[in-house]
Amino acid sequence: MSKVVIDPVTRIEGHLRVEMEPKDVETSTGTWQVVDKAWSSGTLFRGWESILRGRDPRDAWFITQRICGVCPAPHAEASTQAIEAAFDVQPTPVATLMRNILHGAYYIYDHLIHTYLLIGPELGVLAKYPPMVPPALGKEGISKLGLGSSYAQCVEMQRKANEIVTLWGGKFPHHADEYPGGMTVKPTLDRIASSITRMSEIWPFVAKTMVGDLLALAEANSTIAEGVSSVLDIDFRGLQDVGVSTGNFLSYGIMPDPENYDDWLAVSEGQPGRRKSALIHAGAWDGNFKDFDLSKIEEQVKYSWYDNAGGAPNQEDEPKPNKNKEGAYSWLKAPRYDGKVYEVGPIARMVNTFGMDWKVDRVNPLTGEDLGPLEYKMLNPKGSVIDRVAARVALTQLMANKMFEWLQDLKGYLGEKITNYKQVPDSGTGFGLYDAPRGALLHYLDVKGQKINNYQCVVPSTWNLSPRDNNGTPGAVEQSLVGTWLPKGLDVPTVASTLWPEENIDLSPLGVDSTVNWGDALATALKPLGLAGLNMEPLNDDNFNTSLAITVVRSFDPCIACAVHTINRR
Ligand code: NFE
Ligand code: MG
């Protein structure tokens, strides 16, 4: 059968191509198409690991931030920690605390934009949930139909979160104040107060709107399940049956305890462990809590456009690109842990810290008002679209709570020593391991003659979007696409009307004299925007609707700008 291709996958950073081979499935209601095999290709060719060679190692954290405009902060942090390991210097406790505050605000921004701007539109459409559909009819649509109400607020709130990053980092993207051994910013009461002011607006949005939207999605999920089950005559439980991955989850942890940094460092020095003193733990969950062991990571390259041999990150050499390599189809390598595929990202952070059941408090830190905890149990232990969304919401709530605690704690450190300055050593090596929003992020630095001799990054999207490995096993996203329904000839409004047939949306506030069902309401709102190619326009009988498949891909929050960072010097 011919392939269905999405290229480029939009609304992400970088260039991602997804190919899918459909197969027919016969049921009592007809012949349907689902994904049989999938291929994920990074089509973008970049230059990072090579341009770092020969440079001053102190510049690495500043340069590697430029890998990505979405996740510069985690690259800065992973790099700074690699430099600190190579220089044999530790950050001071107050520096670690300020880093937690900066990165906590950054995390809130990142998970907000993914939930609302990057995957929210698909979820809002599927779940008949106007607050998460883009505010396509502007202020009038927001006030009269609630169309895009949460989406629009999110835009404001992510800005406030980024303002906190700039209070501690000078600017965003690409903050300017980390330094091996510490920070170049001081804790001051005005920075603390300005951060709390912004958090006092962000916290209620997260605790009420964001958590409320997750609960609304979870409730709508049963109607989606019934609708799809009856159309296809299959036993479909809902969004927990979409985007199912491997059940193996890898995390490096985030937010070290400033007073127990040795526990954090042990893992990046090669000692198997879980960094349990950190807010989010490291681990290699395979159905049970398992220590993370750095020596089990290797990159495989059989299906990647390189002539390198692959191997452990500190064995990898100068990239040898070869676009003509037989069988290869991606600029991404295939990182594996203990030879197996592991999903990285929000679920990995949650399960490696809390297991399958999560409970996050929602007590307003300023007023004491208790909204009741957010409680969530993973709906699919192998991971799924809805579990990824839930994990991001839970992490945002957790981070919003912690921000107040850290800001309070910082008052106890005013006037403390900020940096353990150290000269560039003649030689040294070190790893920085830090969980970026999209997942486990590794930087490796080798210094010789006071210059960078080798630099390697193994990045979250490289794990999730990897091509097949040396054994031919597909990567996490490639596996999670298998079985996804590709509706043929059915545009998005038609699918929406089938799932939600009741005609109960009154368009009269917009001056349209009718009461319509969800699909017609969407068509009214979104078609005038001319979203051709997004399955809003009528599809002919040979065309596949790829919206569900793209939702699967988006649930991993791909970033190919991060995932490929090699250079062709020829
Ligand atoms: Ni460019 Fe990134 C994150 C890193 S890659 S977004 O988070 O590191 O997946
Ligand atoms: Mg690399």
Side-chain angles (χ1 to χ4, degrees), residues 49 299 306 313 316 319 331 333 442 455-459 462 562-566:
E49 289 167 342
E299 292 191 287
Y306 303 99
E316 271 291 23
W331 288 114
K333 297 176 186 172
L442 176 154
Y455 203 99
Q456 297 289 331
C457 312
V458 183
V459 175
T462 322
C562 274
V564 188
H565 31 79
T566 184

Side-chain angles (χ1 to χ4, degrees), residues 372-524:
L374 164 61
E375 296 187 67
Y376 189 87
K377 185 176 169 58
M378 284 271 291
L379 292 175
N380 193 325
K382 290 185 155 187
S384 70
V385 166
I386 194 158
D387 292 310
R388 280 175 208 110
V389 174
R392 283 191 195 89
V393 175
L395 282 159
T396 312
Q397 180 68 60
L398 192 65
M399 216 57 86
N401 295 345
K402 279 308 258 194
M403 285 295 285
F404 288 90
E405 232 177 87
W406 291 325
L407 287 161
Q408 287 298 337
D409 288 351
L410 194 54
K411 287 195 207 156
Y413 287 86
L414 302 179
E416 298 271 316
K417 180 179 168 192
I418 292 171
T419 181
N420 291 322
Y421 179 81
K422 191 99 181 257
Q423 300 267 350
V424 182
D426 190 55
S427 65
T429 60
F431 286 93
L433 303 173
Y434 194 73
D435 238 61
R438 272 137 288 268
L441 171 63
L442 176 154
H443 282 219
Y444 169 73
L445 167 65
D446 170 12
V447 179
K448 278 208 176 62
Q450 297 193 319
K451 301 284 186 226
I452 297 175
N453 180 55
N454 188 9
Y455 203 99
Q456 297 289 331
C457 312
V458 183
V459 175
S461 289
T462 322
W463 285 94
N464 286 338
L465 280 296
S466 90
R468 283 152 174 72
D469 59 28
N470 292 355
N471 297 323
T473 307
V477 168
E478 293 181 331
Q479 292 191 32
S480 73
L481 278 163
V482 172
T484 306
W485 181 27
L486 290 167
K488 209 174 185 181
L490 300 173
D491 57 41
V492 168
T494 304
V495 174
S497 300
T498 310
L499 292 177
W500 305 94
E502 307 83 10
E503 295 190 352
N504 57 6
I505 300 179
D506 179 9
L507 294 182
S508 61
L510 298 177
V512 180
D513 186 19
S514 57
T515 300
V516 299
N517 66 23
W518 182 231
D520 289 339
L522 285 173
T524 306

Side-chain angles (χ1 to χ4, degrees), residues 223-253:
T223 307
I224 297 171
E226 281 165 29
V228 173
S229 294
S230 87
V231 171
L232 299 184
D233 185 30
I234 56 167
D235 186 12
F236 178 72
R237 295 177 305 163
L239 293 172
Q240 62 268 45
D241 287 338
V242 183
V244 179
S245 174
T246 63
N248 296 333
F249 297 104
L250 186 73
S251 162
Y252 298 158

Side-chain angles (χ1 to χ4, degrees), residues 157-195:
M157 292 300 153
Q158 62 86 29
R159 177 171 60 76
K160 289 182 197 296
N162 273 330
E163 284 172 1
I164 300 177
V165 178
T166 66
L167 283 167
W168 299 93
K171 66 194 268 284
F172 185 88
H174 309 125
H175 64 273
D177 65 335
E178 297 209 32
Y179 194 86
M183 298 281 271
T184 60
V185 66
K186 280 187 177 170
T188 58
L189 287 174
D190 67 320
R191 284 201 176 92
I192 294 172
S194 301
S195 302

